[in-house]
Amino acid sequence: MSGRAQLMWDEQVTSYDFGPGHPMDPVRLSLTRSLVSEFGLDRELAVVAAPAAGDSTLGLVHRADYVAAVRRASVDPKRAELDYGLGTADNPAFEGMHEASALIAGQSVGGAEAVWRGETEHAVNFAGGLHHAMPGAASGFCVYNDAALAIARLLELGAERVVYVDVDVHHGDGVQAVFWDDPRVLTISLHEHPRTLFPQTGWPEETGGPAAEGSAVNVALPAGTGDEGWLRAFHAVVPELVAAFRPQVLVTQHGADTHFEDPLAHLAVSLDAQRMVMEACHGLAHEHAEGRWLALGGGGYAVADVVPRSWTHLVAIAAGAPIAATTPVPEVWRGEVYRRTREVAPLRMTDGREPRWQSFDDGGYDPADRLDQAVLATRRAVFPLHGLLA
């Protein structure tokens, strides 16, 4: 290994901008990058700018006619074609859309390549995690599916088993769809129940196609789930499946929109619990994938208070320099937040929580509890397909 971790970053990823008033405000990316720098993490890892994904790379996941449609809309947003999910309220077309989207995809693909080739143990692209994009359509603020492209590139390079863990509040539907019938990829998504949140998919019964039964895993969490339930569900499902699948690479998506302050969803997870799951994913990569870990961002629309702190913790964990929860937020950065957003930034790298959770296998199952019902539904649907007891 030439280094412990790489941060995949090109300033131009902030040109992925759907315009004023859109929840996917690129200020969340630039504020995260600034906070990473203020904590001195640039000294703990390599900051690498990968090239944008070209047509051959995009073609690993996306149809040529769709890429052509994105290019047309990128040159002239008025030509956006609704049949391709472009020009909608969720995915307004903007000039340079193709270039910005391909650049974000390139960072995830470049990180995957570096991890696979042994150039680094871990790679982080917090601008990535655009997990809703489909092979032939934009969806849910996502134009190109960088997570799926990174996994497809790993397979192209020779990987035989890849696990994708998605803890965004929304179902990772695009990644699941791409690898639905591919037994080499295990997709695991923990998300708010499809009855109450976009994209209305991710039921526990969705377990993979005929050629890959058990390759899709979905934990549909009740609205209102907080730290204890979220951590309980994660640990009741993810570690056992990762161990059984024996991945060569772990790819994880860390959308920050599970947070109780996020305006677009209904879970009640704290920054402190998010940090615990990041640490758990880091540990799983070392335990089962020889440390090969690609970590991505995702959703998150509390753009000043939550997202930068959450993803700075992610970068720090990957760099082997975790930030203590009680650490004060640098005053210089708090000033930048106010100048750019007119919001008052948080004072510490914590929400002041100390999450506790009880193991699902520790005699604590409550058949009347909706969270436990959700966990059991997933385990019953998938665990036997991996030789595990539900």
Side-chain angles (χ1 to χ4, degrees), residues 273-356:
Q274 290 177 347
R275 182 176 182 271
M276 290 175 70
V277 162
M278 294 167 186
E279 291 175 332
C281 290
H282 179 223
L284 289 170
H286 280 284
E287 186 175 357
H288 301 293
E290 297 183 350
R292 299 187 191 96
W293 182 32
L294 173 64
L296 309 173
Y301 309 101
V303 298
D305 188 45
V306 176
V307 174
R309 290 188 299 158
S310 185
W311 291 346
T312 296
H313 275 304
L314 179 64
V315 173
I317 290 165
I323 298 168
T326 55
T327 303
V329 172
E331 190 64 32
V332 171
W333 185 80
R334 296 185 73 242
E336 180 183 353
V337 169
Y338 186 76
R339 286 193 305 274
R340 300 191 65 174
T341 69
R342 288 298 184 261
E343 294 185 30
V344 178
L347 294 172
R348 296 186 298 161
M349 292 295 287
T350 178
D351 287 329
R353 307 289 178 86
E354 295 182 1
R356 300 281 193 271

Side-chain angles (χ1 to χ4, degrees), residues 77-98:
K78 294 179 181 178
R79 298 180 64 191
E81 298 163 69
L82 293 176
D83 287 349
Y84 290 106
L86 303 170
T88 65
D90 276 1
N91 291 87
F94 60 91
E95 290 187 12
M97 180 172 60
H98 166 78

Side-chain angles (χ1 to χ4, degrees), residues 69-198:
V70 174
R71 285 184 179 276
R72 289 192 295 271
S74 186
V75 173
D76 181 1
K78 294 179 181 178
R79 298 180 64 191
E81 298 163 69
L82 293 176
D83 287 349
Y84 290 106
L86 303 170
T88 65
D90 276 1
N91 291 87
F94 60 91
E95 290 187 12
M97 180 172 60
H98 166 78
E99 289 75 15
S101 304
L103 185 61
I104 290 174
Q107 304 316 303
S108 293
V109 171
E113 291 173 343
V115 167
W116 181 254
R117 291 168 176 161
E119 297 166 7
T120 188
E121 272 193 315
H122 315 320
V124 180
N125 176 25
F126 58 74
L130 304 180
H131 59 169
H132 294 307
M134 293 292 176
S139 177
F141 312 163
C142 305
V143 177
Y144 294 141
N145 195 319
D146 64 285
L149 287 163
I151 295 168
R153 179 61 175 143
L154 288 167
L155 299 177
E156 187 178 51
L157 290 172
E160 297 174 345
R161 295 179 308 281
V162 178
V163 168
Y164 172 74
V165 177
D166 188 320
V167 295
D168 192 289
V169 78
H170 302 91
H171 177 225
D173 57 337
V175 184
Q176 175 179 288
V178 170
F179 301 107
W180 180 253
D181 217 27
D182 192 332
R184 299 172 296 175
V185 180
L186 175 65
T187 64
I188 307 174
S189 179
L190 284 80
H191 47 266
E192 185 179 327
H193 201 286
R195 285 197 188 96
T196 55
L197 194 66
F198 173 91

Side-chain angles (χ1 to χ4, degrees), residues 45-61:
L45 43 62
V47 180
V48 177
D55 284 355
S56 61
T57 297
L58 294 173
L60 294 173
V61 165

